[in-house]
């Protein structure tokens, strides 16, 4: 959530900043509701002052032995008016909060201004896309030919946009997870976590998925007594890991905190009908190794650069060409103020596709969660960051396509072979 103070003054600068994100700030609404809030605040304070003055008068009357009944009755009426005003102010403040929760983060000053992915800015490239001397197959064809990727079985079990992996391909999927976790914990000093795959609405509100993006979530319902449960399947491990510090006061000496975990992720993919329906690109359930950093305002930019480099290192070790782009204002996620996307080369599509997104959310999530940093007697809002390190399914398909052979087999990257019993390739 953005700083509420920004919604109480001159809104023109804020309106311009949010417009670069494609968000139209309702100036009339915010000016009107702020005027109403101020009026109620003044009314409440005046009534409280009247009650305090009356209390002193009652004390003076009683001290002098005079009858204070009439004044006490008057003060009782004032107390009732105060309670009504406070209730009205509380209700209004809730309306303000709910409206503010719908507003995206303000872009960082160095975020490129643009409206779509076409306006993203390439930062760097690594690796040279391989030249093939045979017809390139996509990962779906490779997996199905090997008999190790089965969409029909998944459709029978659940429905579309799910998959079943078998044999060495399932093993390679697991190997990628182990390699990523080992890299982030051993090389980069992350603390490995195990977190719930089900979270409550407060957790999703804390990281920004609720209330605005409920249609993208899978909500759980208890059918035994027809009561709705306040639980959702996680869309990303960012949600439970970031919310570990919800409501906490963190000692500045302990920062930054660096968490990593592997979880499945569940997304309804609302609004994506017809997009990437073939293969593993866009699934309702997929695996991800996630990184979360929590630090100070002074640390967060450096942490973002480091986290992006850590995700890139995984791709380098797997010998997968990629490029890193900085997202423009119109393409960033709701909670982000600055984002780098890492896009891996997919030979079958002859293009780069997103495989990791690393974002600095500034104090946006911390304000929603009530997460502060203690520095002696001073406190300030924490800064939170998150990044994929990496999306496992997309990494799997990138390995299959970039390391495919003419006979339909797939070479296993050297760093994964210890997790694969020493095998050098996947073949029938």
């Amino acid at each position: 959530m953005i700083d509420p103070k920004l919604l109480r003054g001159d809104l023109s600068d804020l309106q311009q900043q949010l417009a670069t994100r494609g968000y139209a700030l309702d100036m009339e609404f915010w000016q009107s509701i702020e005027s109403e809030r101020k009026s109620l605040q003044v009314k409440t304070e005046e009534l409280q002052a009247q009650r305090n003055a009356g209390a002193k008068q009652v004390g003076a009357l009683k001290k002098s032995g005079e009858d204070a009944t009439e004044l006490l009755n008057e003060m009782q009426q004032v107390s009732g008016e105060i309670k009504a005003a406070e209730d009205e102010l509380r209700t209004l403040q809730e309306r303000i909060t709910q409206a503010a929760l719908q507003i995206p983060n303000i872009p960082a000053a160095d975020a490129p201004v643009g409206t779509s992915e076409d306006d993203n800015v390439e930062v760097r490239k690594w690796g040279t896309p391989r030249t093939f001397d045979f017809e390139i197959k996509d990962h779906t064809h490779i997996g199905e030919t090997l008999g190790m990727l089965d969409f029909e079985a998944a459709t029978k079990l659940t429905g579309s946009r799910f998959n079943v992996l078998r044999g060495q391909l399932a093993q390679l999927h697991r190997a990628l997870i182990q390699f990523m976790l080992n890299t982030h914990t051993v090389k980069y000093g992350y603390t490995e976590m195990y977190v719930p795959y089900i979270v409550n609405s407060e957790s999703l509100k804390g990281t920004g998925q609720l209330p605005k993006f409920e249609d993208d979530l899978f909500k759980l319902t208890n059918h035994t007594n027809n009561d709705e449960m306040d639980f959702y399947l996680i869309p990303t491990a960012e949600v439970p890991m970031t919310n570990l510090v919800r409501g906490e006061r963190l000692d500045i000496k302990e920062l930054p905190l660096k968490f990593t975990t592997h979880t499945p992720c569940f997304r309804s993919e609302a609004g994506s009908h017809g997009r990437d329906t073939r293969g593993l690109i866009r699934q309702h359930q997929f695996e991800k190794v996630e990184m979360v950093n929590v630090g100070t305002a002074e640390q967060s930019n450096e942490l973002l650069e480091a986290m992006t480099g850590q995700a890139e290192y995984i791709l380098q070790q797997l010998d997968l060409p990629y490029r890193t782009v900085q997202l423009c204002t119109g393409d960033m996620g709701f909670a982000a103020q600055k984002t780098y996307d890492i896009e891996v080369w997919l030979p079958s599509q002859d293009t780069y596709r997103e495989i990791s997104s690393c974002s600095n959310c500034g104090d946006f999530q911390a304000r929603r969660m009530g997460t502060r940093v203690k520095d002696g007697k001073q406190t300030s809002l924490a800064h939170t960051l998150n990044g994929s390190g990496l999306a496992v399914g997309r990494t799997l398909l990138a390995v299959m396509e970039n390391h495919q052979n003419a006979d339909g087999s797939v070479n296993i990257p050297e760093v994964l072979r210890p997790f694969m019993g020493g095998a050098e390739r996947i073949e029938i």
Side-chain angles (χ1 to χ4, degrees):
M1 190 162 63
I2 65 172
D3 189 342
K5 294 176 184 176
L6 297 174
L7 296 165
R8 295 175 183 166
D10 183 358
L11 299 176
S12 53
D13 285 347
L14 179 61
Q15 184 185 43
Q16 288 179 351
Q17 289 175 303
L18 292 173
T20 68
R21 302 208 55 166
Y23 182 87
L25 185 70
D26 189 339
M27 299 268 281
E28 185 177 342
F29 167 81
W30 286 106
Q31 289 168 346
S32 172
I33 206 166
E34 174 59 13
S35 175
E36 189 177 351
R37 187 196 68 81
K38 282 182 178 178
S39 177
L40 268 173
Q41 185 78 43
V42 169
K43 178 182 177 181
T44 303
E45 290 173 355
E46 287 177 347
L47 286 168
Q48 288 170 338
Q50 185 178 343
R51 181 178 61 183
N52 292 339
K56 288 182 180 178
Q57 288 180 317
V58 168
L61 288 172
K62 286 185 176 181
K63 190 175 182 179
S64 63
E66 297 180 58
D67 184 10
T69 302
E70 184 178 345
L71 188 54
L72 281 169
N73 290 336
E74 185 181 330
M75 289 303 99
Q76 188 173 3
Q77 182 179 344
V78 170
S79 293
E81 292 177 15
I82 290 173
K83 184 181 184 308
E86 287 176 338
D87 288 344
E88 191 176 352
L89 187 59
R90 193 178 301 110
T91 300
L92 181 65
Q93 189 58 56
E94 181 60 27
R95 280 183 60 203
I96 292 172
T97 299
Q98 290 304 312
L101 288 173
Q102 304 281 346
I103 300 175
N105 203 351
I106 299 171
D110 62 346
V113 175
T115 58
S116 71
E117 62 183 20
D118 295 333
D119 300 312
N120 295 340
V121 176
E122 184 177 294
V123 177
R124 53 185 168 268
K125 279 184 178 177
W126 185 91
T128 302
R130 175 183 168 190
T131 300
F132 292 84
D133 57 5
F134 57 88
E135 183 183 354
I136 296 170
K137 304 293 193 301
D138 72 8
H139 69 280
T140 300
H141 184 278
I142 296 167
E144 290 178 334
T145 301
L146 288 169
M148 299 177 188
L149 178 57
D150 194 337
F151 293 105
E152 286 188 14
T155 300
K156 179 175 69 175
L157 296 174
T158 310
S160 61
R161 296 202 177 187
F162 291 88
N163 68 85
V164 170
L165 301 176
R166 290 190 172 94
Q168 280 187 301
L169 208 54
Q171 190 179 5
L172 181 63
H173 186 267
R174 174 166 53 86
L176 285 165
I177 294 165
Q178 290 178 279
F179 170 64
M180 292 176 193
L181 286 174
N182 285 358
T183 299
H184 294 314
T185 56
V186 177
K187 182 175 178 63
Y188 294 121
Y190 281 75
T191 299
E192 185 173 351
M193 310 296 292
Y194 174 81
V195 294
Y197 304 161
I198 297 172
V199 293
N200 56 34
S201 61
E202 281 303 306
S203 294
L204 288 156
K205 188 185 296 181
T207 41
Q209 285 80 12
L210 286 179
K212 193 172 179 64
F213 301 103
E214 185 164 13
D215 288 346
D216 293 329
L217 304 170
F218 284 107
K219 186 171 186 179
L220 303 181
T221 303
N222 184 349
H223 290 292
T224 57
N225 56 12
N226 295 320
D227 289 336
E228 282 201 348
M229 302 164 63
D230 186 28
F231 294 127
Y232 297 79
L233 296 176
I234 60 170
T236 166
E238 168 201 345
V239 177
M241 282 204 295
T242 306
N243 275 275
L244 287 170
V245 298
R246 189 173 81 225
E248 299 291 325
R249 297 294 182 267
L250 308 171
D251 192 324
I252 194 170
K253 297 175 184 176
E254 299 174 356
L255 300 181
L257 300 175
K258 297 166 63 177
F259 303 138
T260 188
T261 192
H262 153 250
T263 67
C265 305
F266 305 91
R267 299 184 186 177
S268 71
E269 295 295 345
S272 66
H273 302 293
R275 295 175 57 200
D276 297 315
T277 55
R278 176 178 169 83
L280 298 172
I281 289 284
R282 199 177 296 276
Q283 299 273 281
H284 289 310
Q285 175 185 314
F286 61 95
E287 313 286 305
K288 193 147 62 85
V289 171
E290 186 76 1
M291 304 175 288
V292 162
N293 284 198
V294 182
T296 65
E298 293 73 25
Q299 294 170 333
S300 64
N301 283 330
E302 185 177 336
L303 288 171
L304 176 62
E305 300 298 327
M307 180 186 292
T308 306
Q310 290 152 9
E312 290 177 353
Y313 178 79
I314 299 291
L315 292 172
Q316 293 170 13
Q317 294 301 294
L318 297 172
D319 196 21
L320 297 175
Y322 66 85
R323 69 172 192 155
T324 300
V325 299
Q326 183 177 356
L327 298 195
C328 71
T329 52
D331 198 32
M332 286 194 300
F334 179 79
Q337 66 178 28
K338 182 176 182 178
T339 298
Y340 291 114
D341 269 9
I342 305 171
E343 301 174 346
V344 70
W345 177 257
L346 294 186
S348 69
Q349 298 185 18
D350 194 34
T351 192
Y352 293 94
R353 295 298 301 269
E354 180 199 338
I355 197 168
S356 173
S357 190
C358 298
S359 296
N360 183 358
C361 298
D363 60 15
F364 185 83
Q365 293 176 328
R367 184 174 285 107
R368 296 167 80 106
M369 296 189 300
T371 305
R372 303 189 70 85
V373 177
K374 296 184 299 183
D375 184 6
K377 295 182 179 180
Q378 301 295 318
T379 66
S380 59
L381 286 167
H383 276 214
T384 61
L385 304 93
N386 63 80
S388 309
L390 303 163
V392 182
R394 293 193 180 192
T395 309
L396 176 69
L397 71 89
V399 168
M400 293 167 68
E401 292 198 6
N402 282 279
H403 298 313
Q404 64 180 289
N405 297 310
D407 63 1
S409 63
V410 176
N411 293 330
I412 300 170
E414 190 172 345
V415 292
L416 299 181
R417 293 173 187 173
F419 305 103
M420 298 284 294
E424 296 182 2
R425 64 174 55 190
I426 296 175
E427 52 195 344
I428 299 175

